[in-house]
Amino acid sequence: MGRVLRGYLATATCARLADDGMAVSVTLLALHRTGSAAQGAAVLAAWMAPHAVAAPLTGVLAARARGAGAAFHVAALGLFAAAIAGVALTLGRAPVPVVLAVAALGGCCGPMVTGGLSSLLAGLVPDTGARARAYALDAATYNAAGIAAPAAVTATAGVWGTGPAMGTLAVSAAGAAGLATTLRAPRPAAGVPETTPDAGTRTGTAPDAGETEGAGDGPRPTADRNLRRHPRGPSSLWRELLGGLRVLWEIPALRGITAATSLAFVGIGGLAPAAVLLADERGYPGGGGVLLTVLAAGALAGALGAARRGPGVSDVRLAAVCLVGTGAALLGAAASAPYPLCVVLFCLAGLCDGPLLAATLRIRADHAPPAVRTQVFTLGAGLKTTAASAGAALTAAAASALSPAQLLAALAAFQLAGAVLLRGIDSSVGPGQLPEPSGS
């Protein structure tokens, strides 16, 4: 593992530890200072809501700042850390609108912690062979943070208190901002493709959008030409925002993986309450935490296993297989009466889910034109976050009408439906496919 990749993984881990610890930390701090979780729920809603709304804009701004290296990411992570510290200082002490405003500001930086950081890897690790492993390790940082952050917050709160617990998250985010200053993507020489044909171009054709610096030979795909043709300004910003959405829609692999994972995340968003209810029904009150822990541990193991995967099956097909495996394992858990068997099946679901994120990241990197790559990453992450929030709300609404087993089966169905969407585009996927728009 190279020094650049180690630096990136340290940055991503610190940032995602801070992000994943917020849900538990905000809840504990609100209970401690106000005696109720109600304000904590409102703060969390303010923290999560901007993710999808801010994703397109943060992606465009990060793309515009590409010439300054990781400066925009450093600034976003610094603001993210300041917002966490602000919530720690104001929750239960300042007027609620002030706390919500601070939380919303931090939430606007959320897309840079997830998709924004992941989008850097294509430049930091230009070799496509090494990049496949890099994205698998990047996926593992999400899983590791998901396991470690809640446990670390709970342990810190028990020893030093809820305020210092959230303070440690701010320190972790600030550490990520400091580490991000070391990230330097190598700049390609004039006329040398930034990536190989596997990463966004077709063998024997011109480089994909934005993949050459100063090279005027050969046509560029229309989306990139349109983005570069106009001077930057308010109208150009709007055009770039629409350009990212257009690329996400018109490139089959990007459209398919975005639709499939967003649909799957409707189910993922409801897993926490469903697991708690299922464990209680199986005679293990409090056993929902064990189910979620083994799910996350399985996902971490699956992501690390994906880092050792050699070439072979396409990433789109791998994503479809992962969704089928996750859905089947969750369906099995819904149909299984013994609680220990449910634990095993939740672990299996995690093992299948782990490689899915790595495959998703690689598809985005390989098929998105570099000019809008960050936007594609932030949009995809924002849509998944929104879908998960919708899934949590749907689960809460359906919990009184369905049994826990039926609820879990319904969530599993979202995984299988996502796989169907991917199978539909599997045979037509080709890197860098960007159809010419009709009439322009």
Side-chain angles (χ1 to χ4, degrees):
M1 187 189 301
R3 181 181 60 82
V4 172
L5 181 55
R6 286 197 299 270
Y8 169 82
L9 293 174
T11 303
T13 300
C14 288
R16 289 159 188 167
L17 280 170
D19 194 28
D20 283 349
M22 280 299 286
V24 174
S25 186
V26 166
T27 303
L28 291 175
L29 189 61
L31 283 170
H32 175 71
R33 290 184 180 170
T34 69
S36 168
Q39 189 174 146
V43 171
L44 279 177
W47 183 268
M48 298 303 298
H51 275 63
V53 177
L57 180 59
T58 54
V60 168
L61 294 177
R64 287 187 167 200
R66 275 194 305 174
F72 183 82
H73 295 75
V74 173
L77 290 171
L79 187 58
F80 186 71
I84 295 175
V87 171
L89 292 172
T90 58
L91 181 56
R93 294 171 176 169
V96 173
V98 173
V99 186
L100 296 181
V102 174
L105 181 64
C108 288
C109 301
M112 297 310 297
V113 173
T114 53
L117 277 176
S118 292
S119 70
L120 286 175
L121 270 179
L124 295 172
V125 188
D127 177 70
T128 52
R131 190 192 300 169
R133 180 170 180 264
Y135 274 119
L137 292 173
D138 186 39
T141 67
Y142 287 92
N143 303 127
I147 297 172
V153 167
T154 303
T156 305
V159 176
W160 288 298
T162 54
M166 189 175 290
T168 60
L169 299 182
V171 170
S172 182
L179 288 167
T181 62
T182 67
L183 301 180
R184 295 286 185 272
R187 296 184 66 82
V192 177
E194 179 184 327
T195 55
T196 65
D198 285 342
T201 62
R202 291 186 296 272
T203 304
T205 65
D208 203 353
E211 290 198 352
T212 60
E213 295 288 341
D217 300 328
R220 297 181 187 273
T222 305
D224 192 63
R225 291 201 305 268
N226 287 343
L227 289 174
R228 295 171 182 269
R229 184 182 298 155
H230 304 277
R232 287 180 173 179
S235 60
S236 175
L237 178 64
W238 178 246
R239 189 176 296 108
E240 289 175 54
L241 288 170
L242 293 179
L245 290 168
R246 176 177 168 268
V247 164
L248 203 62
W249 173 254
E250 291 193 355
I251 295 180
L254 295 179
R255 181 177 66 244
I257 197 65
T258 302
T261 54
S262 295
L263 188 59
F265 258 65
V266 175
I268 296 295
L271 273 184
V276 171
L277 293 171
L278 184 73
D280 187 65
E281 184 187 60
R282 298 293 189 264
Y284 285 80
V290 175
L291 294 178
L292 295 173
T293 299
V294 298
L295 179 76
L300 175 58
L304 292 174
R308 307 177 71 88
R309 181 178 73 93
V313 63
S314 72
D315 287 321
V316 174
R317 185 164 296 174
L318 174 63
V321 170
C322 289
L323 287 169
V324 170
T326 303
L330 292 176
L331 278 175
S336 301
Y339 174 76
L341 181 56
C342 291
V343 173
V344 172
L345 289 168
F346 263 75
C347 184
L348 178 60
L351 279 170
C352 294
D353 184 64
L356 173 62
L357 178 56
T360 301
L361 297 176
R362 287 194 297 269
I363 290 169
R364 291 175 186 164
D366 290 352
H367 293 268
V372 292
R373 181 179 287 143
T374 303
Q375 217 178 326
V376 167
F377 271 83
T378 56
L379 276 167
L383 288 171
K384 286 168 65 177
T385 300
T386 303
S389 299
L394 287 173
T395 301
S400 59
L402 299 176
S403 70
Q406 291 171 332
L407 198 60
L408 184 61
L411 299 178
F414 282 102
Q415 315 304 308
L416 300 177
V420 171
L421 292 180
L422 282 178
R423 286 179 62 83
I425 60 107
D426 196 19
S427 61
S428 63
V429 169
Q433 289 182 347
L434 180 56
E436 292 286 332
S438 57
S440 63

